[in-house]
């Protein structure tokens, strides 16, 4: 990897949340690097610190210590005002729950933030039309969210996240609520976004091991730290849809106690994944 492809360097990041007198260490000296033109997928059991890491990169929260170097500048040292400017200029967010405003149609949902910030220029409007083409919903732009499928709504959210042409796209469970067909469409779209805009950097947090199909690198976090990094070639070598016990063994600690702890963590991860699936099927069977 060429040095000039480096976009974000996380160095020895520590984040501690306080709940009354109890301290929760969400990031425990975590370090990793993200590159331009690449998709990094971050996986790991519930509560391991994935969303915390995404929030830190997005400037939504602050570290207790450590560095978040973006384009050579440590954003952990920024003032609140500088962080806000950084977030507006460089970051696009895609969430699991699409966050679309029900009363607005698709194109209005995309343009609203730009209108509010006074940055909806003629060029931006043209760019948004291009984005609607990229997400394949040019002809549905006047439809309200309730007139679009879950997958279509998520494609609109992706267009909305790209509307200010951000350099960094942060996705938190972008396929979490989708059926398998819509999931495939959204995954292909995320991949095509990074192919079309190779100057951008995409980071996806997910429980869904299928996302490794579109990843250039995958970080596995356990207990606030990176426990394993899968490179592109390792990911390509794995054709199975899920991480197998064999994958896990490759980065199991040798101490038996630690191994048991790691196995428990894996099982909790699978448990979380299965519960998510059950919930989403139940929701479909008994819509409220
Ligand atoms: N605002 C907060 N206040 C207190 N504790 C928090 C806060 N946000 C996160 N935590 C705790 O920090 C740890 C890491 O949380 P985080 O949301 O980053 O995990 P995660 O890996 O994204 O989990 P999930 O997959 O369930 O979303 C958890 O123990 C969580 O309970």
């Amino acid at each position: 990897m060429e040095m000039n492809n480096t976009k974000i360097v996380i160095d020895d990041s520590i984040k501690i949340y306080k709940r009354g007198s109890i301290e929760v260490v969400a990031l425990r000296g975590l370090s990793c690097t993200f590159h331009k033109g690449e998709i990094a997928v971050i996986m790991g059991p519930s509560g391991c610190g994935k969303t915390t890491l995404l929030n830190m990169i997005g400037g939504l929260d602050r570290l207790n210590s450590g560095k978040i170097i973006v384009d050579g500048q440590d954003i952990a040292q920024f003032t609140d005002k500088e962080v806000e400017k950084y977030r507006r200029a460089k970051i696009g967010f895609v969430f699991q729950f699409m966050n679309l405003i029900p009363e607005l149609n698709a194109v209005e949902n995309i343009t609203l933030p730009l209108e509010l910030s006074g940055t909806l220029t003629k060029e931006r409007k043209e760019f948004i039309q291009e984005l609607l083409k990229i997400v394949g919903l040019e002809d549905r732009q006047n439809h309200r969210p309730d007139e679009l499928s879950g997958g279509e709504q998520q494609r609109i959210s992706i267009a909305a996240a790209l509307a200010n042409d951000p350099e960094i796209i942060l996705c938190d469970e972008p396929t979490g609520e989708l059926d398998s067909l819509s999931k495939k469409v959204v995954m292909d779209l995320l991949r095509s976004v990074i192919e079309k805009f190779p100057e951008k950097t995409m980071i996806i947090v997910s429980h869904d091991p299928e996302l490794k199909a579109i990843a250039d690198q995958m970080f596995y976090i356990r207990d606030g730290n990176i426990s394993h990094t899968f490179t592109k070639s390792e990911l390509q070598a794995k054709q199975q849809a899920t991480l197998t016990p064999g994958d896990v063994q490759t980065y199991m600690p040798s101490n038996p106690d630690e191994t048991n702890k790691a196995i428990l963590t894996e099982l909790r991860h699978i448990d979380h994944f299965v519960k998510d699936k059950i919930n989403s099927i139940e929701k479909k069977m008994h819509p409220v």
Side-chain angles (χ1 to χ4, degrees), residues 210-240:
E210 282 184 43
L211 276 162
K212 75 175 187 295
I214 60 163
D216 294 293
Q217 64 175 346
M218 194 168 96
F219 296 110
Y220 201 88
I221 301 186
R222 178 175 292 135
D223 203 14
N225 228 325
I226 307 275
S227 66
H228 192 78
T229 305
F230 291 90
T231 62
K232 177 105 185 160
S233 52
E234 278 177 302
L235 290 169
Q236 280 170 344
K238 298 247 151 262
Q239 295 303 318
Q240 301 98 314

Side-chain angles (χ1 to χ4, degrees), residues 15-19 22 24-27 43-55 61 172-173 205-207 221 224 272:
K15 175 67 186 176
I16 301 167
Y17 290 109
K18 285 207 166 87
R19 282 187 202 137
I22 301 167
V24 179
V25 184
L27 300 177
M43 291 192 57
S46 184
C48 71
K50 304 181 295 294
T51 301
T52 303
L53 177 61
L54 212 64
N55 288 346
D61 205 345
D172 201 347
E173 294 285 359
V205 156
S206 183
H207 284 106
I221 301 186
H272 185 96

Side-chain angles (χ1 to χ4, degrees), residues 1 35-40 194 198 200-203 216-217:
M1 181 57 58
H35 303 104
K36 285 182 206 167
E38 289 194 358
I39 297 180
I194 208 76
K200 296 191 192 299
T201 302
M202 192 181 290
I203 304 173
D216 294 293
Q217 64 175 346

Side-chain angles (χ1 to χ4, degrees), residues 56-120:
M56 298 299 153
I57 297 169
L60 294 175
D61 205 345
R62 284 190 178 271
L63 292 177
N64 291 77
S65 73
K67 294 179 184 160
I68 302 175
I69 298 164
V70 180
D71 295 326
Q73 280 192 301
D74 184 4
I75 69 160
Q77 300 300 324
F78 279 5
T79 63
D80 288 351
K81 231 181 175 165
E82 286 168 334
V83 169
E84 196 186 321
K85 197 170 155 219
Y86 155 83
R87 197 169 55 232
R88 280 175 192 243
K90 293 206 181 191
I91 306 289
F93 288 101
V94 177
F95 297 102
Q96 172 174 14
F97 304 103
M98 293 92 184
N99 289 357
L100 299 178
I101 298 169
E103 291 79 14
L104 300 183
N105 70 28
V107 71
E108 288 165 344
N109 262 290
I110 300 172
T111 54
L112 183 72
L114 301 176
E115 261 179 75
L116 293 177
S117 64
T119 54
L120 187 60

